[in-house]
């Protein structure tokens, strides 16, 4: 083992973080589709030669589930001596390809230095394609790709690329975004090789090991500060993709410096809402880290003191051939469960529930020249109020972390007009600190197209903490009186669709809210006079 002093470890750690952040910026800037170049639905990471996370960019927590899945699958399919410089592996399958749903295309490239495998460059990007599909099982959801070589020793395997593009509805977007992903990984390879040339490969690898050990120590110290006992929390999960609600539960057991999370959930469903195990792990790692110590480095060390279980074949640990396209909705509820349980132990570190969903709208249609267009949008909502601050409004929370698409980008590229884009008055839960406000987006179709929506917190509401009130739920209106939003519907020119996302829960008793804060809420139209009088007990 090469010994590395703490200062060098810190310098190399900062370099690794810089590399993955630069990768992410290169991917976004070089991409073509609005979902990546505008909404930044992509992530980048570095792994060591063993397949352990060295560093993940601060993009989308959900994508860790893809990263920790693909390298073990590559190792199962290919002998170490068969992996060469210039190889690039592509995969997307939830069961055999390492991803968590099919639109997330993962590229992994080995990094060699002086003929030695030292690391892996990995990125994933959500390709807004495979639209207008069924979700009874994964075979309806798109093309399944196990880890195969897209490049072999630097040479494009055109037959693989052609097979992929033929199965895409907007192939020119997919090709451009794939090239952006290739460029991002290529940049990572160069930067990592330069780092090894400067400090030596052994020293860089030793620093990577030290950084993982440091993350483990910090996580164990945070867990050890929690009283040993079991913490349980139950929440409701609903979706536009099935009728009614289901109950989900977590039992978190803290023993010394270790934490075990055991979930109880109903069987997997014939809808694209199921979670594979790596997606569950990614969600738990994020939710625990955010509460225990947000400064813990995002590497494999933070996961060592944490174990996770859920019934195999359940919606939270599904098995083949369960559909997984909208798995983010259930992952959002898992984050709520974990943080709801930890609020019992660390009430000053946990915010009230955020909007708790990833409200999605997927439009598809045909252009005058006969080509297809696909527009995916996920819409933010209210974040939960914090122990000392109001919740943020109109943001993505927990596992998503993407951006809301600007109006100009939407109307420039698609036959849609956005009539209203606004925060929803009164949607944030009341409290000493108010929950963030949900969003309203109203679209008008300018040409015939099809739309599918996916939302949660339609029947349940984001909960408050310490006496805070719940946020308002989701709402959908297609202008035709329908109450069932499952599947895909046809929109005619001029038809208007309204989507409202949930607000965040409030924190603390409403009557303790500062009078000046209530006055400001009234002036900014965040609450109305009736709410001020009835809930906050302030005469208007």
């Amino acid at each position: 083992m090469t010994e590395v002093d703490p200062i060098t470890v810190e310098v190399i750690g900062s370099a690794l973080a810089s590399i993955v952040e630069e990768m992410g910026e290169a991917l976004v800037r070089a991409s073509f589709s609005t979902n990546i170049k505008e909404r930044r639905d992509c992530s980048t990471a570095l792994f060591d030669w063993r397949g352990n996370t060295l560093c993940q960019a601060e993009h989308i927590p959900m994508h860790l589930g893809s990263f920790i899945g693909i390298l073990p699958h590559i190792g199962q399919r290919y002998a170490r001596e068969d992996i060469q410089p210039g190889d690039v592996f592509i995969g997307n399958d939830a069961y055999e390809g390492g991803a968590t749903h099919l639109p997330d295309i993962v590229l992994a490239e080995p990094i060699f230095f002086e003929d030695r495998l030292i690391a892996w460059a990995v990125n994933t990007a959500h390709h807004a394609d495979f639209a207008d599909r069924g979700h009874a099982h994964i075979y309806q959801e798109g093309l399944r790709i196990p880890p195969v070589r897209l490049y072999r020793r630097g040479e494009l395997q055109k037959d693989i690329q052609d097979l992929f593009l033929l199965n895409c509805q907007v192939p020119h977007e997919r090709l451009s975004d794939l090239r952006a992903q290739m460029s991002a990984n290529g940049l990572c390879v160069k930067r990592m090789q330069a780092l090894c040339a400067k400090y030596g490969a052994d020293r860089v690898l030793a620093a990577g090991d030290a950084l993982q050990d440091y993350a483990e120590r910090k996580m164990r110290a945070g867990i050890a500060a929690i009283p040993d006992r079991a913490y349980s929390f139950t929440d409701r999960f609903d979706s536009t993709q099935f009728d009614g609600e289901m109950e989900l539960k977590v039992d978190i057991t803290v023993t010394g410096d270790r934490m075990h999370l055991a979930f109880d959930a109903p069987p997997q469903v014939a809808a694209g809402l199921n979670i594979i195990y790596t997606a569950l792990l990614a969600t738990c790692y994020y939710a625990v880290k955010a509460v225990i110590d947000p400064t813990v480095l995002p590497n494999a060390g933070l996961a060592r003191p944490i174990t996770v279980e859920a019934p195999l074949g359940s919606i939270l640990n599904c098995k083949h051939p369960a559909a997984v396209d909208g798995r983010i909705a259930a992952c959002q509820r898992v984050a709520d469960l974990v943080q709801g349980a930890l609020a019992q132990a660390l009430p000053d570190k946990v915010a009230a529930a955020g909007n708790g969903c990833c409200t999605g709208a997927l439009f598809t249609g045909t252009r005058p020249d006969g080509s297809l267009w696909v527009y995916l949008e996920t819409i933010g909502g209210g974040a939960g109020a914090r122990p000392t601050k109001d919740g943020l409004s109109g943001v993505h929370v927990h596992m998503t972390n993407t951006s809301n698409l600007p109006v100009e980008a939407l109307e420039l590229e698609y036959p849609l007009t956005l009539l209203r884009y606004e925060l929803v008055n009164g949607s944030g839960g009341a409290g000493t600190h108010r929950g963030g406000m949900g969003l309203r987006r109203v679209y008008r179709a300018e040409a015939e197209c099809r739309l599918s929506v996916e939302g949660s917190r339609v029947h349940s509401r984001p909960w408050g903490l310490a006496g805070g009130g719940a946020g308002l739920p989701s709402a959908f209106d297609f202008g035709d009186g329908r109450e069932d939003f499952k599947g895909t519907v046809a929109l005619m020119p001029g038809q208007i669709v309204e989507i409202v996302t949930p607000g965040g829960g409030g924190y603390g008793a409403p009557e303790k809210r500062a009078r000046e804060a209530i006055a400001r809420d009234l002036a900014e139209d965040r609450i109305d006079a009736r709410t001020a009088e009835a809930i906050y007990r302030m005469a208007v």
Side-chain angles (χ1 to χ4, degrees), residues 351-353 383-386 428-436 462-471 504-508:
R386 295 157 285 182
T432 307
H433 303 289
R434 177 183 42 75
W463 37 263
L465 281 177
Y507 196 103

Side-chain angles (χ1 to χ4, degrees), residues 138-342:
I138 196 169
Y139 293 100
Q140 293 182 343
E141 295 191 311
L143 177 68
R144 300 176 62 194
I145 309 171
V148 294
R149 286 184 178 90
L150 180 62
Y151 283 76
R152 184 187 296 269
R153 298 193 178 195
E155 292 292 328
L156 172 67
Q157 306 302 289
K158 192 172 183 302
D159 51 352
I160 298 294
Q161 179 176 280
D162 290 346
L163 175 64
F164 169 67
L165 295 177
L166 186 63
N167 283 273
C168 296
Q169 289 155 295
V170 194
H172 70 281
E173 282 190 1
R174 304 290 71 76
L175 179 58
S176 297
D177 289 343
L178 271 181
R179 288 171 173 168
Q181 289 184 258
M182 279 296 303
S183 297
N185 274 0
L187 176 65
C188 178
V189 171
K190 292 179 181 178
R191 294 288 187 264
M192 193 65 176
Q193 289 173 338
L195 191 66
C196 290
K198 182 175 182 179
Y199 292 100
D202 288 338
R203 182 173 294 182
V204 170
L205 295 178
D209 291 342
L211 290 165
Q212 293 175 55
D213 293 342
Y214 178 54
E216 178 184 4
R217 291 196 302 273
K218 290 197 70 174
M219 185 61 77
R220 288 189 183 277
I223 294 172
I226 302 174
D228 285 7
R229 53 163 281 199
Y231 303 89
S232 299
F233 194 80
T234 301
D235 205 344
R236 310 293 296 179
F237 178 55
D238 63 74
S239 170
T240 52
Q241 301 305 306
F242 66 85
D243 296 324
E245 295 180 274
M246 60 178 65
E247 185 174 279
L248 304 177
K249 180 183 179 184
V250 66
D251 294 308
I252 299 179
T253 303
V254 175
T255 307
D257 62 358
R258 297 191 60 82
M259 179 180 290
H260 179 70
L261 297 88
F263 292 88
D264 188 22
Q268 59 195 44
V269 295
L273 300 167
N274 305 288
I275 302 175
I276 63 167
Y277 185 63
T278 55
L280 178 63
L281 288 178
T283 306
C284 291
Y285 296 157
Y286 155 79
V288 172
K289 175 183 182 291
V291 174
I292 298 298
D293 186 349
T295 68
V296 172
L297 297 174
N299 63 43
L302 71 85
R304 293 172 184 168
I306 302 170
T307 53
V308 180
E309 65 172 300
L312 182 62
S314 70
I315 191 173
L316 299 187
N317 184 14
C318 65
K319 60 183 180 180
H320 178 271
V324 295
D325 185 70
R327 83 286 187 236
I328 191 71
C331 288
Q332 294 286 67
R333 192 63 74 256
V334 168
D336 286 342
L337 285 171
V338 173
Q339 298 202 348
L342 291 178

Side-chain angles (χ1 to χ4, degrees), residues 102 106 129 302 321 330 356 504 520:
L102 300 184
V106 188
D129 213 291
L302 71 85
R520 184 173 60 251

Side-chain angles (χ1 to χ4, degrees), residues 72-88:
H73 280 287
I74 292 174
Q76 292 169 14
R77 296 174 66 89
Y78 301 94
R80 164 64 189 83
E81 55 271 19
D82 291 338
I83 298 173
Q84 301 295 325
D87 287 353
V88 179

Side-chain angles (χ1 to χ4, degrees), residues 34 38-40 355 359 375-382 393-397 400-410 418 421-423 437-439 441 443 501:
T34 56
E38 298 283 357
R39 297 192 57 254
R40 305 174 71 91
N355 61 77
T359 305
Y375 168 55
L376 168 68
E377 177 169 58
T378 61
I379 309 169
S393 297
V395 295
H396 287 256
V397 298
T400 55
N401 201 36
T402 53
S403 301
N404 298 319
L405 189 72
V407 178
E408 297 82 359
L410 165 62
L418 200 61
Y421 178 23
E422 61 194 16
L423 298 173
M437 301 163 69
L439 286 171
R441 282 173 78 94
Y443 309 82
T501 64

